[in-house]
Amino acid sequence: MVGLPARGKTYISKKLTRYLNWIGVPTKVFNVGQYRRDAVKSYKNFEFFRPDNEEAMKIRKACAVTALHDVSAYLTQEQGQVAVFDATNTTRDRREMILSFAKENGYKVFFVESICDDPDIIAANITPRLLPPQLPARALHRPHAPHRVAAASLPWYRTSPCTASSRGCTSSTGPYITLQVKLTSPDYEDCDREEALEDFLKRIECYKTNYLPLDDERDRSLSYIKIFNVGSRYLVNHVLDHIQSRIVYYLMNIHVTPRSIYLCRHGESELNVVGRIGGDSGLSRHGSKFASALAGFIQEQSIKELKVWTSHMKRTIQTAEALGVPYEQWKALNEIDAGVCEEMMYEEIQQHYPEEFALRDQDKYRYRYPKGESYEDLVQRLEPVIMELERQENVLVICHQAVMRCLLAYFLDKTAEELPYLNCPLHSVLKLTPVAYGCKVESIFLNIEAVNTHRDKPVNVDVSRESEEALDTVPAHV
Amino acid sequence: MATPPRELTQNPLKKIWMPCKNGLPEKHISQRKVCMTNCPTLIVTVGLPARGKTYISKKLTRYLNWIGVPTKEFNVGQYRRECVKIYKSFEFFRPDNEEGLKIRKHCAASALNDVRTYLSEGGQVAVFDATNTTRERRDTIMKFADLNGYKVFFVESVCDDPEVIASNIVQVKLGSPDYTDRNTDEAVEDFMKRIKCYENSYETLDEIKDRDLSYIKIMEVGSRYLVNRVLDHIQSRIVYYLMNIHIAPRSIYLCRHGESELNIKGRIGGDSGLSARGKLFAKFLGKFIQEQNIKDLKVWTSQMKRTIQTAEALGVPYEQWKALNEIDAGVCEEMMYEEIQDHYPLEFALRDQDKYRYRYPKGESYEDLVQRLEPVIMELERQENVLVICHQAVMRCLLAYFLDKTAEELPYLKCPLHTVLKLTPVAYGCKVESISLNVEAVNTHRDRPENVDVSRPPDEALLTVPAHQ
């Protein structure tokens, strides 16, 4: 990464890492600030970052070197494929050091520089903001009364509605991060907000004097993307391979506009009731009730320009129909194809395919149903959905259990091991709202009964296990 | 209290669930179409002559049509050629040639008129291919777009490498109708003077002045891009595509797996192994590849046994793509056409009525296949020499992309077993060489029968079924 403090580098690093891991590329972030905090136990003030502070410069360089050392361990010995080196890297010297290190080890280097040169964005954050009427419409459904602070010359900060205990803050408004993220950093634990803000601004100034952005001429042989002004403009240079091309595409599709993503499954289906998987059945009576309840819920939420997506299967479409709003059907959102096991009960699968059943329990993520799909296949199938979700703003996705698990795993950064066991019960809506570096989840159960369709991993996954051990965790059904 | 949900009916051709009233489908709900914009998009090329604008326009148009976005290119040079029957010399393009300027302005206006007609009759994207090198011309176009409610996206190609320009001129300009009666040297000289006429008034898209426009600036034949204000899904896809294509010479080899056990029995789909003749083909394919002496050849297969067995015989590393799997015939998997007619005569007829959009029950359609194959095409664009060992329907889809075939033609493209197609990009298109490796195989190509009516008798339905065991 390259860029002054508070340009969204860590936000981008974490998000990119989450995406790459989800699509199956082992990736890890190495945040040099973390290394610095480990080396210098307590942070005093911005003076540490003054370019003439020789003592500190030595420490900071050592931290970068240690981080690079860990990068090397990760990529060479731990089967990592991508390492994200998250630091300012604002001087040519530092970047040269990294390039040499990479060359020695045979790594490709791709720079991601984040720049803010739009005086409007900067100016807009200097003027103190006042009260609710000036907030954007999206703020209307926020529970807290906003409390605005003068944001001085912080390009990436807009003020955020915060109560005194800032950690419990419900929303984020700044382009990449909010005051909240920086000021609740361990560096500023014992400071009051005004002090912290002032110190941080001085810290940024320390970097500005020596900042040399990637240069059109001198760096023309390097591979990089320059992101200007939170994504209104990009300069892409020398993309070398497939993964760099995917990274560029991803970075060009993400945005920081506040919004929420609602995930839920179709209402309970006829096949759900009798404990059968897959198929293309319609809603049960409870399922229809849920659909109506969902309509009510959506209306109450008063969501601005909500898009509704369903799969091509009857049960999600029937659910969407009850909302009375236009919706879009995606074949990619169809439930996992259980191949020869389609429409079977778990008991029948155990009876007819006991070995398959055991193999599935051994590695539920990679296991592919005969003539069907695996969770791993699902993720690949869902990638364009995720990409479009990133581009969109408020969206309600009405999908299926396995599909919802995959999408959730992307937003909540779950591993391949956790993913197939995420809890996605019928008749519950998950509201995901990006906050700071992650995602806030609110789970709303719409109070309509439904069968449980969640089958936990049984204790015995051995091929030689008894039937009852295999069926130990099968949820009850008609 | 919400209104009771509408009844759903499943469209028999595409197997899509749609709301219906009294058994008839109601007003159309949106399927996931690629282009999510409600308003059409006008792509406007910008750049001096011989910078690859027409190459990009044609390729982009071909890609967008293939993924299902109705697109058409409007080449102003074409309009000029129709207006001024005979091209004399570069003097026509001199900035002080008032007569010439008038004609050129008129041609641009005429082309824009046709754009308007196209976009109002179902077109979604129009590519306005001209130099558009002055801000004035671009302003005119933007006013036109504004008036008609189109989104504008500029694609500028900037190149200062004299070698690349010279190569462009040789490849596409010399063969242009403008220069049919000239010899090479004369033509090149005239064309260079033509470029000069534009140079003085060329106003490149500017980072500051044009900060509010949506555009991509392609520099140095794609090693550098400046992307500004991408507004929506289709623009994002266009940018991704443009950033992945290249012009390095290379060839793409397409072939099917060797003849399989199920092929011999006249059965579709499944996951069988190679027959004896199939294995022989694989061996010959290995030899063919060696003889071709292809630099850094990548080999791709599907995840089905028959393509993998074929690749194994080559003795080189290969990559398996699930996306290259054959079309899923759902309930008809491993059936003979005779059996499909027997058990699902209605389905069989529907398929003949619209083979591109028809989806097998619990299976896929060609339309689904194209969507599934899009990442394969994208990666093929990034790569250089590649051999793709795939399946009949898959190969038809890929071929349709390279040869710009319509949705109607695609499902009937001939892709016989044991034949390799070598595709080499040339000028604005693709050269195809068909190489049969001289190993016999069954024919698996079923032409569209004359009678596609649901009520047809079985023998009319089975008229075009190829012979099998």
Side-chain angles (χ1 to χ4, degrees), chain A residues 101 108 151 195 200 237 289 316 329 331 349 360 439:
Chain A
F101 160 83
K108 281 185 185 156
E195 270 179 25
F200 193 71
N237 196 63
K289 269 175 138 174
T316 57
Q329 296 185 15
K331 186 168 192 275
I349 302 178
R360 183 157 210 254
C439 219

Side-chain angles (χ1 to χ4, degrees), chain A residues 216 220 224 232-238 240-242 245-246 248-249 252-253 280 312-314 317-318 321-322 327-331 343 368 371 373 377 388 391, chain B residues 2 6 8 16-17 19 29-32 36 207 219-220 223-229 231-233 236-237 239-240 243-244 303 322 334 359 362 364 368 379 382:
Chain A
D216 281 0
R220 69 174 341 124
Y224 63 83
S232 69
R233 192 161 92 246
Y234 305 90
L235 182 62
V236 180
N237 196 63
H238 255 138
L240 287 181
D241 59 18
H242 177 84
S245 157
R246 294 287 287 275
V248 163
Y249 186 42
M252 286 178 30
N253 279 316
D280 194 15
H312 273 189
M313 297 178 140
K314 189 173 184 183
I317 297 168
Q318 277 183 314
E321 275 290 317
Y327 55 89
E328 220 187 299
Q329 296 185 15
W330 289 67
K331 186 168 192 275
E343 298 194 45
R368 190 185 278 171
K371 301 197 176 171
E373 294 177 302
D377 294 329
E388 191 55 21
R391 292 196 53 80
Chain B
R6 301 182 282 187
L8 292 183
I16 306 251
W17 288 101
I29 39 102
S30 64
Q31 311 297 278
R32 175 64 197 170
M36 276 322 295
E207 271 181 43
M219 300 173 271
E220 286 146 61
S223 65
R224 213 168 145 74
Y225 304 90
L226 184 63
V227 180
N228 199 62
R229 289 207 190 274
L231 288 182
D232 59 19
H233 179 85
S236 158
R237 294 287 287 275
V239 164
Y240 185 43
M243 285 177 32
N244 280 316
Q303 286 188 351
K322 186 169 192 275
E334 298 194 44
R359 189 184 279 170
K362 303 196 174 170
E364 294 177 302
D368 294 329
E379 191 56 22
R382 290 195 54 77

Side-chain angles (χ1 to χ4, degrees), chain B residues 48-49 89-105 131 133-134 136-137 192-202:
Chain B
L48 294 173
S89 77
F90 77 95
E91 308 259 354
F92 179 80
F93 292 97
R94 286 177 55 154
D96 55 2
N97 181 343
E98 296 233 6
E99 181 70 34
L101 281 172
K102 237 196 263 169
I103 296 177
R104 289 155 72 193
K105 197 160 181 196
T131 48
T133 40
T134 61
E136 193 199 330
R137 170 57 56 85
M192 293 301 238
K193 292 198 185 128
R194 198 152 117 180
I195 297 179
K196 273 251 162 314
C197 296
Y198 285 89
E199 272 176 13
N200 288 335
S201 58
Y202 182 18

Side-chain angles (χ1 to χ4, degrees), chain A residues 63-97:
Chain A
C63 289
V65 169
T66 309
L68 283 179
H69 179 85
D70 288 351
V71 163
S72 161
Y74 176 67
L75 294 178
T76 312
Q77 292 147 27
E78 294 164 31
Q79 271 96 40
Q81 260 183 273
V82 176
V84 182
F85 191 70
D86 177 20
T88 49
N89 298 317
T90 40
T91 62
R92 295 190 70 79
D93 272 346
R94 174 56 54 83
R95 299 196 291 265
E96 275 306 318
M97 179 179 98

